[in-house]
Structure formats: structure tokens, C-alpha cells
Amino acid sequence: MRLLLTSAGIANTSIQDALVDLLGKPIAESNALCIPTATYGHPRSTPVGAWRFISGQSDLPMCELGWKSVGVLELTALPSIGEERWVPWVREADVLLVNGGDALYLCHWMRQSGLADLLPSLSETVWAGLSAGSMVMTPHVGEDFVQWKPPSGDDSTLGVVDFSIFPHLDHELLPENTMAQAERWAAGIPNQAYAIDDETAIKVIDEHVEVVSEGHWKLFTP
């Protein structure tokens, strides 16, 4: 799978260029499925946030980029409709646009729905994550980001990549998201970790990792 792990969506031209490169064709020729599920797990999220994401009314650009088509894939609904229906939808999509919210809640429903098991076979599909939608692909989110408690009781996520992500670095509305706090967070992570601001994304193709940024970021190594 090809990954574009963002803090705040397709926030600038550099990140959009990286997305087009991963797609291998223009956005206007690409079919997208958006996944709002993480929204419902975070204590500060509301249904309004899910609607804004799906409808392209969010301040964090994802669904409003001019896709050929955009569909909604709600993971909590998938176990009730059967894989024979939804798996073809996923396989036919060029990109999965994955909203922020709670990464552990998203991880739980990716496993419960069967989407997590499908990921290794989606070699040409792009996963474009926003905040929690990016963090879910990492091995651990760190205790700072544990809001919804999973059945496992820990902070582990899917581990598709071998690094963790601290998003929204130095965000004006999140005064606790300082570089000093990111350093403290990283000290509790057993693997490499990136702190990234909203102008930064991490592009992953196979084992190749590239930081795409018009802002600032830092890599922490244990």
C-alpha cells in the first residue's frame, strides 16, 4: 500500500503533489472512498465534524479536492453487510481518505470490520490519512493520545510502518502540542517517531520514507 500520512490533510501544494505522485494520475481521474469512523471515538468530536469531512466542508482538505468520485466507507457498518459487498468497493478505489479523531477507536474498527486484514493486498491503493487516520498505521500512538480505551488496554495500533507520529505540532489551538511535549512523548515510544506540524506529511512507498514539508518537523530516535 502507498501511504500519505498527514497531520491536517492536503494542506499545501507540496503535499498535494505527493498525493498525485502516489496516485500515478490526476485527482480528477481518481476514485476515492472516505472513512469518517475515527471521528466518533474522540471525546471532542461531534457528528458535525463527520459531516464536514464527508461533504468537503472541513478546514482540513481531503474530500473536496476534485475527485472523480467520492464514496463513504463507514467501518462500523461493514460487519453487518458482508465482505462480498464492501471488499469490491475498496479494491476499486484509488485512494482511501481517512479522517482524524481517535486512532485507537479507528484501529479497533479496522480490525473488527476486516479492513486491516485486507490492507496487505492493496498494493496500488493510496491511504491518505489525516491525524488519527495517519497514526493508526504506526506501531504505537503513545499514552498522550489514548482517549478511547481498546479491549487490549494498550496504545498499540496496526504497525504498517515502523515509526510513530505526533501530529499538529505547535498548533495555535493546541497549546500543549509543543516540541518539548513531543520530546517527552517520544521518550515513551519504543520506536522511531516523527513530530510533524500541519504543513507536513510523510510519504511511504514500500520501505522508502520521505518527509514532505512546507513547515517544520523532527525525527526522534530511541
Side-chain angles (χ1 to χ4, degrees):
M1 198 166 202
R2 299 161 179 259
L3 310 178
L4 187 64
L5 306 178
T6 81
S7 176
I10 313 306
N12 57 50
T13 301
S14 296
I15 297 175
Q16 182 161 321
D17 288 346
L19 174 61
V20 172
D21 182 61
L22 289 172
L23 289 167
K25 59 183 174 180
I27 289 173
E29 297 176 11
S30 302
N31 297 305
L33 284 178
C34 71
I35 300 176
T37 306
T39 311
Y40 304 111
H42 196 281
R44 287 188 286 181
S45 295
T46 69
V48 174
W51 175 82
R52 286 177 175 164
F53 172 71
I54 292 167
S55 64
Q57 303 297 312
S58 171
D59 294 332
L60 310 175
M62 293 288 269
C63 296
E64 57 268 49
L65 300 177
W67 302 99
K68 182 179 180 180
S69 69
V70 180
V72 179
L73 190 73
E74 175 45 60
L75 302 188
T76 60
L78 300 189
S80 66
I81 63 175
E83 292 186 357
E84 70 278 3
R85 291 200 64 201
W86 67 263
V87 168
W89 301 342
V90 175
R91 292 197 182 282
E92 291 165 8
D94 296 301
V95 61
L96 303 180
L97 308 173
V98 190
N99 197 20
D102 192 283
L104 294 176
Y105 183 79
L106 175 59
C107 183
H108 173 75
W109 279 106
M110 287 182 67
R111 289 176 171 144
Q112 290 293 108
S113 67
L115 180 59
D117 293 332
L118 187 64
L119 295 183
S121 69
L122 303 177
S123 59
E124 298 302 315
T125 307
V126 176
W127 178 281
L130 188 166
S131 192
S134 299
M135 297 167 72
V136 73
M137 304 304 262
T138 70
H140 300 276
V141 298
E143 288 301 318
D144 288 10
F145 295 103
V146 176
Q147 300 282 347
W148 183 85
K149 284 284 188 179
S152 65
D154 62 21
D155 74 327
S156 63
T157 32
L158 296 177
V160 174
V161 297
D162 61 2
F163 55 83
S164 295
I165 296 173
F166 183 103
H168 312 301
L169 178 65
D170 292 330
H171 194 289
E172 60 183 6
L173 299 180
L174 299 169
E176 68 276 15
N177 280 24
T178 62
M179 185 64 80
Q181 181 56 33
E183 290 176 355
R184 287 190 287 271
W185 163 84
I189 299 289
N191 45 260
Q192 285 192 330
Y194 289 89
I196 61 174
D197 74 352
D198 282 6
E199 298 293 325
T200 300
I202 303 171
K203 176 182 174 184
V204 184
I205 303 176
D206 299 323
E207 301 298 318
H208 180 70
V209 177
E210 176 187 353
V211 177
V212 178
S213 183
E214 294 185 14
H216 62 285
W217 58 279
K218 186 172 181 177
L219 173 61
F220 300 98
T221 301

